[in-house]
């Protein structure tokens, strides 16, 4: 099944009378279980593409279907359900709530997806190697640890697709590689479809496929040798 299908997608931003064409006609499909890296220079439209696919930004023309349904035809409540339960997000700067513990950060997200038990929250923390830190506050953790918690937060509602925008952009090499290994495990062992933006071509080897973007277009779409 194609979980994501994009056809002739364009996206403009307008500031006053000036129109910026940011996505300029994009076509691709992503099947269940793929791990796709999106790379390209700054300003090529990578984040905008993720926002559009996640229903966070409207698109200008063309078609985007998620789970075989055109995004434009989702009602607000269907979109909210999709964003809270079917899709997970991981960002460069973790976006954890500083005055909540690790456990409470995950509990808060689980409320959106229909509440989870303490055991389920500890289990998801265990899957990212952070169970022992459930009572810590984000400021007491390293960047790599905070990103693990952010990944656990995205996993708690068992999403089918994970969107990640430069998830290791703020980490040193060693922590970055460990997080990439974790994403690979989520793809291979937990069958998550992953769409990950990265600046660094070296990290595309963890995925199954790479889309190269330049100036609002996909200029190369290649399968990776595993
Ligand atoms: N809200 C906005 N209003 C106007 N222009 C925007 C807006 N968001 C992004 N842009 C423009 O769209 C273009 C693509 O931005 P985008 O953030 O998608 O690029 P990116 O590939 O993610 O870059 P980076 O690698 O720096 O994160 C840029 O020229 C940016 O200035
Ligand atoms: Mg970006």
């Amino acid at each position: 099944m194609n979980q994501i299908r994009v056809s002739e997608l364009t996206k403009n931003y307008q500031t006053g009378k000036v129109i910026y064409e940011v996505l300029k006609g994009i076509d691709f499909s992503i099947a269940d279980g793929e791990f796709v890296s999106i790379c390209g220079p700054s300003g090529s439209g990578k984040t905008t593409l993720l926002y559009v696919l996640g229903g966070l930004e409207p698109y200008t023309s063309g078609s985007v279907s998620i789970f075989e349904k055109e995004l434009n035809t989702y009602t607000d409540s269907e979109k909210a359900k999709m964003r809270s339960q079917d899709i997970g997000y991981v960002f460069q700067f973790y976006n954890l709530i500083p005055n909540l513990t690790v456990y409470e950060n995950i509990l808060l997200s689980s409320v959106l997806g229909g509440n989870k038990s303490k055991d389920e929250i500890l289990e998801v923390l265990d899957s990212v190697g952070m169970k022992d830190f459930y009572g810590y506050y984000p400021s007491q953790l390293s960047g790599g640890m905070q990103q693990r918690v952010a990944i656990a937060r995205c996993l708690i509602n068992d999403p089918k697709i994970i969107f990640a925008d430069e998830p290791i952009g703020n980490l040193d090499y060693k922590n970055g590689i460990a997080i990439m290994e974790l994403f690979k495990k989520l793809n291979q062992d937990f069958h998550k479809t992953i769409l990950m933006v990265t600046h660094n071509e070296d990290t595309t080897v963890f995925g199954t496929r790479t889309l190269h973007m330049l100036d609002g277009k996909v200029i190369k779409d290649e399968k990776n040798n595993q």
Side-chain angles (χ1 to χ4, degrees), residues 41-48 92 165-166 197 199:
S42 189
S44 55
K46 305 179 298 294
T47 293
T48 304
Q92 182 174 352
D165 195 352
E166 309 220 20
V197 167
H199 248 105

Side-chain angles (χ1 to χ4, degrees), residues 80-95:
K81 178 186 166 295
M82 176 183 80
R83 281 200 293 254
S84 61
Q85 293 174 37
D86 300 326
I87 285 178
Y89 292 92
V90 178
F91 304 97
Q92 182 174 352
F93 294 107
Y94 331 126
N95 297 353

Side-chain angles (χ1 to χ4, degrees), residues 11-15 18 20-23 38-51 57 92 165-166 197-199 213 216:
K11 162 76 184 170
N12 299 339
Y13 282 114
Q14 186 159 3
T15 309
V18 184
Y20 299 94
E21 296 179 10
V22 176
L23 302 179
I38 301 176
C39 62
S42 189
S44 55
K46 305 179 298 294
T47 293
T48 304
L49 178 62
L50 277 201
Y51 279 1
E57 273 288 344
Q92 182 174 352
D165 195 352
E166 309 220 20
V197 167
T198 173
H199 248 105
M213 286 188 73

Side-chain angles (χ1 to χ4, degrees), residues 96-102 104-105 108 136-139:
L96 299 174
I97 298 178
N99 55 346
L100 297 183
T101 63
V102 163
E104 290 164 344
N105 264 279
L108 184 65
Y136 283 55
Y137 289 90
S139 62

